[in-house]
Amino acid sequence: MNTKHFAMLLLVPLSTVALTPANGADESPAPRPPSLNVTDRGPLVFIGFQASIAAMVGASEGKLEGATALDMAKDITEELRKMRPANTPSRAQCKVVSAEAETRSSEDEEGDHRIDVMTTWVMECQKPALLKYLDISLFKAMPAVNVIEAYYFSDTAQVYKKLTPASKRLSW
């Protein structure tokens, strides 16, 4: 057996031990950050938002479930449906023309339950060529959210940015 094979035999068990939680603890993974998808189609701008209720309130996935989580999700869903998701340059003259929101419960392969909130807004801009950014206002409705993964798509640009309460502008 050469040195390379011997090193591999040592590394595999060591990496397994390093990746196993201490004392067999069952650590719930941190919830995925909320995501925001903005699709710019001329005068219409579609803004889609999705997040687990755990990410929205700052809890781990395994600790927030049942009727309490569902009630929280419904309250947040209603609040999101009523709000304006982003501020736009006034010169672009944009307004929200529709908003839809829903709560969805699901279960992963391990049997863990998860409740997601999904919201879609449609904005119409009178001068779409003047729309060069969105200042995302969703952080107000979810103070526990520290990061939103944002994506912007149009015929001429694709942008990805991690937004934070201190840096909430998505520009293209």
Side-chain angles (χ1 to χ4, degrees), residues 35-46:
S35 65
L36 183 78
N37 292 304
V38 178
T39 306
D40 191 345
R41 296 283 173 235
L44 297 180
V45 178
F46 301 88

Side-chain angles (χ1 to χ4, degrees), residues 43-170:
L44 297 180
V45 178
F46 301 88
I47 302 172
F49 175 77
Q50 180 174 353
S52 71
I53 186 66
M56 293 172 143
V57 299
S60 66
E61 293 286 357
K63 295 181 180 176
L64 187 65
E65 55 186 43
T68 303
L70 195 54
D71 288 343
M72 290 173 78
K74 287 179 181 178
D75 290 344
I76 291 173
T77 300
E78 193 56 35
E79 187 176 342
L80 289 173
R81 182 188 335 232
K82 293 176 183 177
M83 73 179 293
R84 181 180 174 96
N87 295 314
T88 58
S90 59
R91 295 178 27 220
Q93 299 175 5
C94 301
K95 66 179 180 178
V96 175
V97 293
S98 73
E100 295 179 17
E102 69 175 296
T103 347
R104 189 174 295 161
S105 181
S106 63
E107 186 175 313
D108 64 16
E109 301 84 36
E110 289 87 33
D112 293 329
H113 293 277
R114 173 184 161 126
I115 297 173
D116 285 335
V117 171
M118 291 156 288
T119 309
T120 303
W121 297 270
V122 179
M123 296 180 82
E124 184 174 26
C125 300
Q126 297 301 312
K127 298 180 180 179
L130 299 177
L131 183 64
K132 301 294 182 194
Y133 66 86
L134 295 173
D135 285 330
I136 305 305
S137 56
L138 296 171
F139 292 102
K140 291 178 193 173
M142 302 165 294
V145 172
N146 295 320
V147 172
I148 296 176
E149 293 184 345
Y151 304 86
Y152 170 84
F153 304 97
S154 73
D155 291 338
T156 58
Q158 292 183 9
V159 175
Y160 167 77
K161 182 176 180 185
K162 283 190 177 188
L163 303 174
T164 65
S167 176
K168 55 191 172 193
R169 179 167 285 184
L170 179 62

